[in-house]
Amino acid sequence: MPLLAAGAFSGLLAGLFGVGGGIVVVPVLVLLFAARGVDPGLAIKLAVGTSLATIVITSIASIYSHHRRGAVDWSVWRRLMPGVLLGSLVGAFIVDALPGRVLYGVFVVFLYAMALRMFFGQVGGRRPLPGSAGLRGAGFGIGLISAAMGIGGGTLSVPFLSYCSIPVKRAVATAAAIGLPIALSGSLGFLYTGLDETGLPDGSIGYINLPAFGGIVIASVVFAPLGAWLAHQWPDRWLKRAFAIFLVVMATRMAYGWL
């Protein structure tokens, strides 16, 4: 039941905000793995890897719903992809090799800053998109941090695209598409780096637990189209401020775990 509830909420968030739902999935999985006696240090890596694997499926459902409405900016997506793919793969190796406490803290501060900017700022930004090199660099940062935290790219890419004059509905739709390669590259990295790990629960391949993956995906695929429909019904200002509130909730949850 907790897996189905987490999957339903993550699917709704994926469609509504272009995020992968890792903010919901990761803490639920950490608690479930810990209840099964998995070491906390191992449980967080297993939760992040499994979360990224579920985002692969959730993103596909969300992308399809947004693409049908012509909302995905595939030109921006293509220019971000080289950096996103490399960054998400590097992020998986960083999590395996290093404690993430400092990165965690920096990320929490960044989320609060982005939330304040989105809530009080204008609906659309005035800064133009950077060139190809700038977009590759931005993609690398988005991919690296997202994979390291087990979240979809929307948490970072929606504020970035909105700041660069992309309308918020288009930013959300494009962020959903950005989340797919992040999740795919990141989950493959977590699968590989966890192959030599001992103490994994039954049904795990590397840092991906297949029973948990299946339970979450079933509900998330059903609810992702509903979130995408809601995103296109709300006025831009409502959607932008709702996303800012979502970022505050996410940052607060992460800060609580970091302290």
mmCIF file with all atom_site columns, all heavy atoms in Angstrom, residues 214-235:
data_model
loop_
_atom_site.group_PDB
_atom_site.id
_atom_site.type_symbol
_atom_site.label_atom_id
_atom_site.label_alt_id
_atom_site.label_comp_id
_atom_site.label_asym_id
_atom_site.label_entity_id
_atom_site.label_seq_id
_atom_site.pdbx_PDB_ins_code
_atom_site.Cartn_x
_atom_site.Cartn_y
_atom_site.Cartn_z
_atom_site.occupancy
_atom_site.B_iso_or_equiv
_atom_site.pdbx_formal_charge
_atom_site.auth_seq_id
_atom_site.auth_comp_id
_atom_site.auth_asym_id
_atom_site.auth_atom_id
_atom_site.pdbx_PDB_model_num
ATOM 1   N N   . GLY A 1 214 ? 8.361  -2.143 -9.263  1.00 0.00 ? 214 GLY A N   1
ATOM 2   C CA  . GLY A 1 214 ? 7.093  -2.536 -9.856  1.00 0.00 ? 214 GLY A CA  1
ATOM 3   C C   . GLY A 1 214 ? 5.890  -1.938 -9.154  1.00 0.00 ? 214 GLY A C   1
ATOM 4   O O   . GLY A 1 214 ? 4.952  -1.454 -9.804  1.00 0.00 ? 214 GLY A O   1
ATOM 5   N N   . GLY A 1 215 ? 5.899  -1.946 -7.829  1.00 0.00 ? 215 GLY A N   1
ATOM 6   C CA  . GLY A 1 215 ? 4.765  -1.413 -7.079  1.00 0.00 ? 215 GLY A CA  1
ATOM 7   C C   . GLY A 1 215 ? 4.551  0.071  -7.323  1.00 0.00 ? 215 GLY A C   1
ATOM 8   O O   . GLY A 1 215 ? 3.412  0.535  -7.446  1.00 0.00 ? 215 GLY A O   1
ATOM 9   N N   . ILE A 1 216 ? 5.640  0.823  -7.408  1.00 0.00 ? 216 ILE A N   1
ATOM 10  C CA  . ILE A 1 216 ? 5.534  2.274  -7.615  1.00 0.00 ? 216 ILE A CA  1
ATOM 11  C C   . ILE A 1 216 ? 5.097  2.598  -9.034  1.00 0.00 ? 216 ILE A C   1
ATOM 12  O O   . ILE A 1 216 ? 4.253  3.471  -9.267  1.00 0.00 ? 216 ILE A O   1
ATOM 13  C CB  . ILE A 1 216 ? 6.876  2.954  -7.282  1.00 0.00 ? 216 ILE A CB  1
ATOM 14  C CG1 . ILE A 1 216 ? 7.123  2.883  -5.770  1.00 0.00 ? 216 ILE A CG1 1
ATOM 15  C CG2 . ILE A 1 216 ? 6.892  4.399  -7.765  1.00 0.00 ? 216 ILE A CG2 1
ATOM 16  C CD1 . ILE A 1 216 ? 8.511  3.270  -5.367  1.00 0.00 ? 216 ILE A CD1 1
ATOM 17  N N   . VAL A 1 217 ? 5.664  1.885  -10.011 1.00 0.00 ? 217 VAL A N   1
ATOM 18  C CA  . VAL A 1 217 ? 5.387  2.187  -11.413 1.00 0.00 ? 217 VAL A CA  1
ATOM 19  C C   . VAL A 1 217 ? 3.916  1.970  -11.759 1.00 0.00 ? 217 VAL A C   1
ATOM 20  O O   . VAL A 1 217 ? 3.323  2.752  -12.517 1.00 0.00 ? 217 VAL A O   1
ATOM 21  C CB  . VAL A 1 217 ? 6.290  1.328  -12.323 1.00 0.00 ? 217 VAL A CB  1
ATOM 22  C CG1 . VAL A 1 217 ? 5.752  1.282  -13.752 1.00 0.00 ? 217 VAL A CG1 1
ATOM 23  C CG2 . VAL A 1 217 ? 7.703  1.886  -12.319 1.00 0.00 ? 217 VAL A CG2 1
ATOM 24  N N   . ILE A 1 218 ? 3.303  0.936  -11.217 1.00 0.00 ? 218 ILE A N   1
ATOM 25  C CA  . ILE A 1 218 ? 1.906  0.623  -11.542 1.00 0.00 ? 218 ILE A CA  1
ATOM 26  C C   . ILE A 1 218 ? 1.003  1.834  -11.297 1.00 0.00 ? 218 ILE A C   1
ATOM 27  O O   . ILE A 1 218 ? 0.186  2.213  -12.151 1.00 0.00 ? 218 ILE A O   1
ATOM 28  C CB  . ILE A 1 218 ? 1.418  -0.584 -10.714 1.00 0.00 ? 218 ILE A CB  1
ATOM 29  C CG1 . ILE A 1 218 ? 2.094  -1.866 -11.201 1.00 0.00 ? 218 ILE A CG1 1
ATOM 30  C CG2 . ILE A 1 218 ? -0.103 -0.722 -10.799 1.00 0.00 ? 218 ILE A CG2 1
ATOM 31  C CD1 . ILE A 1 218 ? 1.838  -3.074 -10.311 1.00 0.00 ? 218 ILE A CD1 1
ATOM 32  N N   . ALA A 1 219 ? 1.151  2.458  -10.135 1.00 0.00 ? 219 ALA A N   1
ATOM 33  C CA  . ALA A 1 219 ? 0.289  3.602  -9.797  1.00 0.00 ? 219 ALA A CA  1
ATOM 34  C C   . ALA A 1 219 ? 0.743  4.879  -10.492 1.00 0.00 ? 219 ALA A C   1
ATOM 35  O O   . ALA A 1 219 ? -0.097 5.697  -10.902 1.00 0.00 ? 219 ALA A O   1
ATOM 36  C CB  . ALA A 1 219 ? 0.274  3.810  -8.284  1.00 0.00 ? 219 ALA A CB  1
ATOM 37  N N   . SER A 1 220 ? 2.045  5.082  -10.667 1.00 0.00 ? 220 SER A N   1
ATOM 38  C CA  . SER A 1 220 ? 2.540  6.342  -11.226 1.00 0.00 ? 220 SER A CA  1
ATOM 39  C C   . SER A 1 220 ? 2.123  6.524  -12.677 1.00 0.00 ? 220 SER A C   1
ATOM 40  O O   . SER A 1 220 ? 1.808  7.639  -13.115 1.00 0.00 ? 220 SER A O   1
ATOM 41  C CB  . SER A 1 220 ? 4.061  6.419  -11.100 1.00 0.00 ? 220 SER A CB  1
ATOM 42  O OG  . SER A 1 220 ? 4.689  5.444  -11.903 1.00 0.00 ? 220 SER A OG  1
ATOM 43  N N   . VAL A 1 221 ? 2.104  5.450  -13.451 1.00 0.00 ? 221 VAL A N   1
ATOM 44  C CA  . VAL A 1 221 ? 1.725  5.541  -14.865 1.00 0.00 ? 221 VAL A CA  1
ATOM 45  C C   . VAL A 1 221 ? 0.264  5.963  -15.010 1.00 0.00 ? 221 VAL A C   1
ATOM 46  O O   . VAL A 1 221 ? -0.101 6.698  -15.934 1.00 0.00 ? 221 VAL A O   1
ATOM 47  C CB  . VAL A 1 221 ? 1.983  4.197  -15.570 1.00 0.00 ? 221 VAL A CB  1
ATOM 48  C CG1 . VAL A 1 221 ? 1.359  4.186  -16.957 1.00 0.00 ? 221 VAL A CG1 1
ATOM 49  C CG2 . VAL A 1 221 ? 3.478  3.929  -15.678 1.00 0.00 ? 221 VAL A CG2 1
ATOM 50  N N   . VAL A 1 222 ? -0.573 5.528  -14.085 1.00 0.00 ? 222 VAL A N   1
ATOM 51  C CA  . VAL A 1 222 ? -2.000 5.873  -14.134 1.00 0.00 ? 222 VAL A CA  1
ATOM 52  C C   . VAL A 1 222 ? -2.217 7.351  -13.836 1.00 0.00 ? 222 VAL A C   1
ATOM 53  O O   . VAL A 1 222 ? -3.054 8.017  -14.468 1.00 0.00 ? 222 VAL A O   1
ATOM 54  C CB  . VAL A 1 222 ? -2.800 5.001  -13.137 1.00 0.00 ? 222 VAL A CB  1
ATOM 55  C CG1 . VAL A 1 222 ? -4.251 5.464  -13.068 1.00 0.00 ? 222 VAL A CG1 1
ATOM 56  C CG2 . VAL A 1 222 ? -2.716 3.536  -13.540 1.00 0.00 ? 222 VAL A CG2 1
ATOM 57  N N   . PHE A 1 223 ? -1.454 7.915  -12.891 1.00 0.00 ? 223 PHE A N   1
ATOM 58  C CA  . PHE A 1 223 ? -1.707 9.278  -12.429 1.00 0.00 ? 223 PHE A CA  1
ATOM 59  C C   . PHE A 1 223 ? -0.920 10.356 -13.180 1.00 0.00 ? 223 PHE A C   1
ATOM 60  O O   . PHE A 1 223 ? -1.264 11.535 -13.074 1.00 0.00 ? 223 PHE A O   1
ATOM 61  C CB  . PHE A 1 223 ? -1.427 9.373  -10.924 1.00 0.00 ? 223 PHE A CB  1
ATOM 62  C CG  . PHE A 1 223 ? -2.544 8.853  -10.073 1.00 0.00 ? 223 PHE A CG  1
ATOM 63  C CD1 . PHE A 1 223 ? -2.679 7.501  -9.813  1.00 0.00 ? 223 PHE A CD1 1
ATOM 64  C CD2 . PHE A 1 223 ? -3.484 9.717  -9.546  1.00 0.00 ? 223 PHE A CD2 1
ATOM 65  C CE1 . PHE A 1 223 ? -3.716 7.014  -9.033  1.00 0.00 ? 223 PHE A CE1 1
ATOM 66  C CE2 . PHE A 1 223 ? -4.529 9.253  -8.757  1.00 0.00 ? 223 PHE A CE2 1
ATOM 67  C CZ  . PHE A 1 223 ? -4.651 7.892  -8.511  1.00 0.00 ? 223 PHE A CZ  1
ATOM 68  N N   . ALA A 1 224 ? 0.128  10.011 -13.931 1.00 0.00 ? 224 ALA A N   1
ATOM 69  C CA  . ALA A 1 224 ? 0.901  11.021 -14.654 1.00 0.00 ? 224 ALA A CA  1
ATOM 70  C C   . ALA A 1 224 ? 0.064  11.797 -15.672 1.00 0.00 ? 224 ALA A C   1
ATOM 71  O O   . ALA A 1 224 ? 0.171  13.033 -15.755 1.00 0.00 ? 224 ALA A O   1
ATOM 72  C CB  . ALA A 1 224 ? 2.108  10.371 -15.337 1.00 0.00 ? 224 ALA A CB  1
ATOM 73  N N   . PRO A 1 225 ? -0.792 11.161 -16.467 1.00 0.00 ? 225 PRO A N   1
ATOM 74  C CA  . PRO A 1 225 ? -1.622 11.938 -17.403 1.00 0.00 ? 225 PRO A CA  1
ATOM 75  C C   . PRO A 1 225 ? -2.558 12.919 -16.707 1.00 0.00 ? 225 PRO A C   1
ATOM 76  O O   . PRO A 1 225 ? -2.837 14.006 -17.232 1.00 0.00 ? 225 PRO A O   1
ATOM 77  C CB  . PRO A 1 225 ? -2.412 10.853 -18.156 1.00 0.00 ? 225 PRO A CB  1
ATOM 78  C CG  . PRO A 1 225 ? -1.566 9.629  -18.059 1.00 0.00 ? 225 PRO A CG  1
ATOM 79  C CD  . PRO A 1 225 ? -0.935 9.716  -16.686 1.00 0.00 ? 225 PRO A CD  1
ATOM 80  N N   . LEU A 1 226 ? -3.049 12.571 -15.513 1.00 0.00 ? 226 LEU A N   1
ATOM 81  C CA  . LEU A 1 226 ? -3.908 13.488 -14.765 1.00 0.00 ? 226 LEU A CA  1
ATOM 82  C C   . LEU A 1 226 ? -3.138 14.745 -14.384 1.00 0.00 ? 226 LEU A C   1
ATOM 83  O O   . LEU A 1 226 ? -3.651 15.865 -14.504 1.00 0.00 ? 226 LEU A O   1
ATOM 84  C CB  . LEU A 1 226 ? -4.443 12.796 -13.513 1.00 0.00 ? 226 LEU A CB  1
ATOM 85  C CG  . LEU A 1 226 ? -5.256 13.672 -12.543 1.00 0.00 ? 226 LEU A CG  1
ATOM 86  C CD1 . LEU A 1 226 ? -6.483 14.252 -13.234 1.00 0.00 ? 226 LEU A CD1 1
ATOM 87  C CD2 . LEU A 1 226 ? -5.654 12.883 -11.303 1.00 0.00 ? 226 LEU A CD2 1
ATOM 88  N N   . GLY A 1 227 ? -1.894 14.578 -13.929 1.00 0.00 ? 227 GLY A N   1
ATOM 89  C CA  . GLY A 1 227 ? -1.081 15.735 -13.582 1.00 0.00 ? 227 GLY A CA  1
ATOM 90  C C   . GLY A 1 227 ? -0.812 16.621 -14.785 1.00 0.00 ? 227 GLY A C   1
ATOM 91  O O   . GLY A 1 227 ? -0.853 17.861 -14.692 1.00 0.00 ? 227 GLY A O   1
ATOM 92  N N   . ALA A 1 228 ? -0.538 16.012 -15.952 1.00 0.00 ? 228 ALA A N   1
ATOM 93  C CA  . ALA A 1 228 ? -0.300 16.793 -17.168 1.00 0.00 ? 228 ALA A CA  1
ATOM 94  C C   . ALA A 1 228 ? -1.546 17.582 -17.569 1.00 0.00 ? 228 ALA A C   1
ATOM 95  O O   . ALA A 1 228 ? -1.461 18.743 -17.989 1.00 0.00 ? 228 ALA A O   1
ATOM 96  C CB  . ALA A 1 228 ? 0.126  15.863 -18.306 1.00 0.00 ? 228 ALA A CB  1
ATOM 97  N N   . TRP A 1 229 ? -2.713 16.968 -17.413 1.00 0.00 ? 229 TRP A N   1
ATOM 98  C CA  . TRP A 1 229 ? -3.963 17.665 -17.731 1.00 0.00 ? 229 TRP A CA  1
ATOM 99  C C   . TRP A 1 229 ? -4.152 18.873 -16.816 1.00 0.00 ? 229 TRP A C   1
ATOM 100 O O   . TRP A 1 229 ? -4.511 19.968 -17.278 1.00 0.00 ? 229 TRP A O   1
ATOM 101 C CB  . TRP A 1 229 ? -5.136 16.697 -17.586 1.00 0.00 ? 229 TRP A CB  1
ATOM 102 C CG  . TRP A 1 229 ? -6.470 17.336 -17.843 1.00 0.00 ? 229 TRP A CG  1
ATOM 103 C CD1 . TRP A 1 229 ? -7.059 17.581 -19.053 1.00 0.00 ? 229 TRP A CD1 1
ATOM 104 C CD2 . TRP A 1 229 ? -7.378 17.845 -16.847 1.00 0.00 ? 229 TRP A CD2 1
ATOM 105 N NE1 . TRP A 1 229 ? -8.270 18.201 -18.884 1.00 0.00 ? 229 TRP A NE1 1
ATOM 106 C CE2 . TRP A 1 229 ? -8.496 18.375 -17.542 1.00 0.00 ? 229 TRP A CE2 1
ATOM 107 C CE3 . TRP A 1 229 ? -7.355 17.892 -15.461 1.00 0.00 ? 229 TRP A CE3 1
ATOM 108 C CZ2 . TRP A 1 229 ? -9.571 18.946 -16.866 1.00 0.00 ? 229 TRP A CZ2 1
ATOM 109 C CZ3 . TRP A 1 229 ? -8.424 18.457 -14.796 1.00 0.00 ? 229 TRP A CZ3 1
ATOM 110 C CH2 . TRP A 1 229 ? -9.524 18.977 -15.484 1.00 0.00 ? 229 TRP A CH2 1
ATOM 111 N N   . LEU A 1 230 ? -3.885 18.701 -15.512 1.00 0.00 ? 230 LEU A N   1
ATOM 112 C CA  . LEU A 1 230 ? -4.019 19.804 -14.569 1.00 0.00 ? 230 LEU A CA  1
ATOM 113 C C   . LEU A 1 230 ? -3.072 20.951 -14.908 1.00 0.00 ? 230 LEU A C   1
ATOM 114 O O   . LEU A 1 230 ? -3.430 22.129 -14.798 1.00 0.00 ? 230 LEU A O   1
ATOM 115 C CB  . LEU A 1 230 ? -3.744 19.317 -13.143 1.00 0.00 ? 230 LEU A CB  1
ATOM 116 C CG  . LEU A 1 230 ? -4.835 18.475 -12.474 1.00 0.00 ? 230 LEU A CG  1
ATOM 117 C CD1 . LEU A 1 230 ? -4.324 17.936 -11.136 1.00 0.00 ? 230 LEU A CD1 1
ATOM 118 C CD2 . LEU A 1 230 ? -6.098 19.301 -12.267 1.00 0.00 ? 230 LEU A CD2 1
ATOM 119 N N   . ALA A 1 231 ? -1.842 20.603 -15.319 1.00 0.00 ? 231 ALA A N   1
ATOM 120 C CA  . ALA A 1 231 ? -0.843 21.630 -15.637 1.00 0.00 ? 231 ALA A CA  1
ATOM 121 C C   . ALA A 1 231 ? -1.327 22.557 -16.737 1.00 0.00 ? 231 ALA A C   1
ATOM 122 O O   . ALA A 1 231 ? -1.018 23.759 -16.739 1.00 0.00 ? 231 ALA A O   1
ATOM 123 C CB  . ALA A 1 231 ? 0.476  20.981 -16.034 1.00 0.00 ? 231 ALA A CB  1
ATOM 124 N N   . HIS A 1 232 ? -2.090 22.023 -17.680 1.00 0.00 ? 232 HIS A N   1
ATOM 125 C CA  . HIS A 1 232 ? -2.558 22.845 -18.799 1.00 0.00 ? 232 HIS A CA  1
ATOM 126 C C   . HIS A 1 232 ? -3.881 23.544 -18.504 1.00 0.00 ? 232 HIS A C   1
ATOM 127 O O   . HIS A 1 232 ? -4.337 24.350 -19.319 1.00 0.00 ? 232 HIS A O   1
ATOM 128 C CB  . HIS A 1 232 ? -2.666 21.976 -20.058 1.00 0.00 ? 232 HIS A CB  1
ATOM 129 C CG  . HIS A 1 232 ? -1.335 21.576 -20.606 1.00 0.00 ? 232 HIS A CG  1
ATOM 130 N ND1 . HIS A 1 232 ? -0.621 22.356 -21.493 1.00 0.00 ? 232 HIS A ND1 1
ATOM 131 C CD2 . HIS A 1 232 ? -0.562 20.480 -20.364 1.00 0.00 ? 232 HIS A CD2 1
ATOM 132 C CE1 . HIS A 1 232 ? 0.516  21.755 -21.797 1.00 0.00 ? 232 HIS A CE1 1
ATOM 133 N NE2 . HIS A 1 232 ? 0.586  20.626 -21.125 1.00 0.00 ? 232 HIS A NE2 1
ATOM 134 N N   . GLN A 1 233 ? -4.499 23.264 -17.363 1.00 0.00 ? 233 GLN A N   1
ATOM 135 C CA  . GLN A 1 233 ? -5.725 23.949 -16.971 1.00 0.00 ? 233 GLN A CA  1
ATOM 136 C C   . GLN A 1 233 ? -5.444 25.181 -16.117 1.00 0.00 ? 233 GLN A C   1
ATOM 137 O O   . GLN A 1 233 ? -6.203 26.146 -16.133 1.00 0.00 ? 233 GLN A O   1
ATOM 138 C CB  . GLN A 1 233 ? -6.652 22.998 -16.185 1.00 0.00 ? 233 GLN A CB  1
ATOM 139 C CG  . GLN A 1 233 ? -6.995 21.704 -16.898 1.00 0.00 ? 233 GLN A CG  1
ATOM 140 C CD  . GLN A 1 233 ? -7.510 21.913 -18.296 1.00 0.00 ? 233 GLN A CD  1
ATOM 141 O OE1 . GLN A 1 233 ? -8.442 22.686 -18.527 1.00 0.00 ? 233 GLN A OE1 1
ATOM 142 N NE2 . GLN A 1 233 ? -6.884 21.235 -19.255 1.00 0.00 ? 233 GLN A NE2 1
ATOM 143 N N   . TRP A 1 234 ? -4.350 25.160 -15.360 1.00 0.00 ? 234 TRP A N   1
ATOM 144 C CA  . TRP A 1 234 ? -4.051 26.253 -14.435 1.00 0.00 ? 234 TRP A CA  1
ATOM 145 C C   . TRP A 1 234 ? -3.456 27.451 -15.171 1.00 0.00 ? 234 TRP A C   1
ATOM 146 O O   . TRP A 1 234 ? -2.681 27.284 -16.113 1.00 0.00 ? 234 TRP A O   1
ATOM 147 C CB  . TRP A 1 234 ? -3.054 25.793 -13.368 1.00 0.00 ? 234 TRP A CB  1
ATOM 148 C CG  . TRP A 1 234 ? -3.618 24.832 -12.377 1.00 0.00 ? 234 TRP A CG  1
ATOM 149 C CD1 . TRP A 1 234 ? -4.859 24.284 -12.362 1.00 0.00 ? 234 TRP A CD1 1
ATOM 150 C CD2 . TRP A 1 234 ? -2.933 24.296 -11.230 1.00 0.00 ? 234 TRP A CD2 1
ATOM 151 N NE1 . TRP A 1 234 ? -5.006 23.438 -11.291 1.00 0.00 ? 234 TRP A NE1 1
ATOM 152 C CE2 . TRP A 1 234 ? -3.845 23.424 -10.582 1.00 0.00 ? 234 TRP A CE2 1
ATOM 153 C CE3 . TRP A 1 234 ? -1.663 24.448 -10.702 1.00 0.00 ? 234 TRP A CE3 1
ATOM 154 C CZ2 . TRP A 1 234 ? -3.516 22.726 -9.431  1.00 0.00 ? 234 TRP A CZ2 1
ATOM 155 C CZ3 . TRP A 1 234 ? -1.325 23.769 -9.553  1.00 0.00 ? 234 TRP A CZ3 1
ATOM 156 C CH2 . TRP A 1 234 ? -2.244 22.924 -8.920  1.00 0.00 ? 234 TRP A CH2 1
ATOM 157 N N   . PRO A 1 235 ? -3.755 28.686 -14.717 1.00 0.00 ? 235 PRO A N   1
ATOM 158 C CA  . PRO A 1 235 ? -3.055 29.865 -15.244 1.00 0.00 ? 235 PRO A CA  1
ATOM 159 C C   . PRO A 1 235 ? -1.559 29.783 -14.932 1.00 0.00 ? 235 PRO A C   1
ATOM 160 O O   . PRO A 1 235 ? -1.150 29.156 -13.949 1.00 0.00 ? 235 PRO A O   1
ATOM 161 C CB  . PRO A 1 235 ? -3.707 31.034 -14.488 1.00 0.00 ? 235 PRO A CB  1
ATOM 162 C CG  . PRO A 1 235 ? -5.017 30.497 -13.997 1.00 0.00 ? 235 PRO A CG  1
ATOM 163 C CD  . PRO A 1 235 ? -4.800 29.039 -13.743 1.00 0.00 ? 235 PRO A CD  1
#
